[in-house]
Amino acid sequence: MNLLPGLTISGGPLRHWAAGAAGRVRSWPTVGRAELLLQRYRRRRWVLALGGTAVLVSVAAAAPIMAGTGNPETGVTRSATAAAASRSQAAAAASQSQAAAWVAQQVSPGVTVSCDPGMCRQLQRDGFPAARLKPLPNSARILRDSGVVIATSAIRSQFGLRLAAVYAPQVIASFGSGAARVDVRTIAPAGASSFRTQLDAEQTALASAGRQLLGNKNIRAAPSAQTALRAGQVDARLLTILSLLSAQMPILLLGFTGAPGAGPGAPLRGAEIGVASSAARSAVVALLDAQQNPYRPAVAAVADGSHPAVALWFDAPASLNLSQP
């Protein structure tokens, strides 16, 4: 290899020629410069060689580390996605469990309930009559033959905007939020438009009946109860019972109760009624138990508290025909 290009004599390198040629006098400055260049080249070659080795060692050492870790952000993202999915599933399961328990307790066992297959199974486990459950296949597009539909995320996706706009305009109870939300809706057999017209007329009639009860000298009512009566928010069956009780004895309306998450227009179906004595309380419970449907409460029991009181409520859904001629 010619290390000093352009400086050859008789085909040999300058260093060999300068050392062995007879009768020639070395020119030390020239040879010194040549040797200096050779020494620098040798040092540069070792530096490059060592540097290359260092690079190879560094890459070899880093390779298993890089192969072991991969992209850390990808692992974090996957973990966060899995955690979010787990939370969503848990929230949906909790909402469905709460809705199923509420329906089994509060909805009349004589009402047909439409639901997705999984929700129907849960309702049956919670004690709702299997004969009154109507599992909806994925192909179902019409809701007409039931009184109530349990609107899980699957049912909302299946029916879309038509669920509230056409088939089931009223929410009588709701559990959870977001995609995990479960609504209990009243189905309108004649359509949403007809239902809303009938509901407006019902509330007008209920408000009139409520004001009449407030004029009854045997009825005293807490402020919140007075507001509900004047606004037509109290179930017609409950108003009838209050009128019946006030004809027998003085009563105190401590308050009305509704369902969690109920929408506008859903009537208050429960009440807590105070009476003068324990004997009067027993008489109230006996009178309520003696009623026939639709005026027999689903529950009538002694209420907790320092004063004698009775707690009662009626099944859902409320009828829109009881208060109107």
Side-chain angles (χ1 to χ4, degrees):
M1 178 178 179
N2 185 2
L3 301 178
L4 298 175
L7 296 179
T8 58
I9 297 177
S10 302
L14 173 62
R15 182 163 58 100
H16 294 169
W17 174 83
R24 300 288 298 271
V25 178
R26 289 186 180 183
S27 174
W28 286 103
T30 303
V31 175
R33 285 194 295 271
E35 290 295 336
L36 180 61
L37 290 172
L38 288 170
Q39 293 173 8
R40 289 178 178 173
Y41 172 79
R42 294 189 188 101
R43 286 197 297 270
R44 186 180 303 115
R45 184 177 60 186
W46 279 103
V47 169
L48 289 173
L50 289 174
T53 302
V55 170
L56 290 173
V57 171
S58 298
V59 172
I65 298 174
M66 295 173 66
T69 58
N71 186 348
E73 293 184 0
T74 301
V76 171
T77 301
R78 288 175 180 170
S79 178
T81 301
S86 178
R87 288 193 297 270
S88 297
Q89 292 172 359
S95 298
Q96 291 173 17
S97 178
Q98 293 169 7
W102 186 88
V103 170
Q105 183 185 46
Q106 298 277 335
V107 173
S108 170
V111 171
T112 299
V113 175
S114 290
C115 39
D116 66 62
M119 191 70 201
C120 282
R121 288 191 295 270
Q122 190 160 359
L123 283 166
Q124 186 174 353
R125 287 195 299 268
D126 282 358
F128 199 83
R132 288 297 184 178
L133 293 173
K134 185 179 180 180
L136 293 171
N138 292 334
S139 59
R141 293 295 180 268
I142 298 177
L143 286 172
R144 292 297 188 199
D145 300 327
S146 302
V148 166
V149 59
I150 313 301
T152 56
S153 177
I155 294 297
R156 290 196 297 273
S157 297
Q158 185 170 338
F159 287 90
L161 297 177
R162 294 178 299 120
L163 179 64
V166 177
Y167 300 119
Q170 187 182 57
V171 176
I172 59 175
S174 185
F175 305 87
S177 61
R181 189 182 81 252
V182 177
D183 297 330
V184 183
R185 290 180 168 272
T186 300
I187 293 177
S193 178
S194 175
F195 180 89
R196 293 189 182 95
T197 299
Q198 194 173 3
L199 181 62
D200 289 341
E202 174 79 359
Q203 286 187 307
T204 300
L206 293 176
S208 175
R211 288 191 295 269
Q212 290 179 28
L213 285 178
L214 288 174
N216 188 320
K217 294 181 179 180
N218 266 355
I219 295 178
R220 291 186 298 132
S224 61
Q226 294 180 31
T227 300
L229 287 168
R230 291 192 181 99
Q233 296 174 340
V234 182
D235 190 292
R237 296 166 294 181
L238 190 49
L239 293 178
T240 301
I241 288 297
L242 292 175
S243 178
L244 174 65
L245 292 176
S246 66
Q248 307 296 318
M249 66 188 76
I251 59 174
L252 171 63
L253 295 179
L254 299 172
F256 296 107
T257 56
L268 303 173
R269 298 174 292 102
E272 188 171 341
I273 302 170
V275 291
S277 65
S278 296
R281 179 178 60 193
S282 298
V284 167
V285 172
L287 183 62
L288 295 175
D289 286 342
Q291 302 306 307
Q292 301 295 316
N293 285 327
Y295 298 106
R296 190 176 192 274
V299 170
V302 173
D304 296 331
S306 56
H307 299 287
V310 175
L312 69 149
W313 52 265
F314 287 89
D315 281 335
S319 172
L320 296 182
N321 300 317
L322 295 179
S323 66
Q324 301 175 50

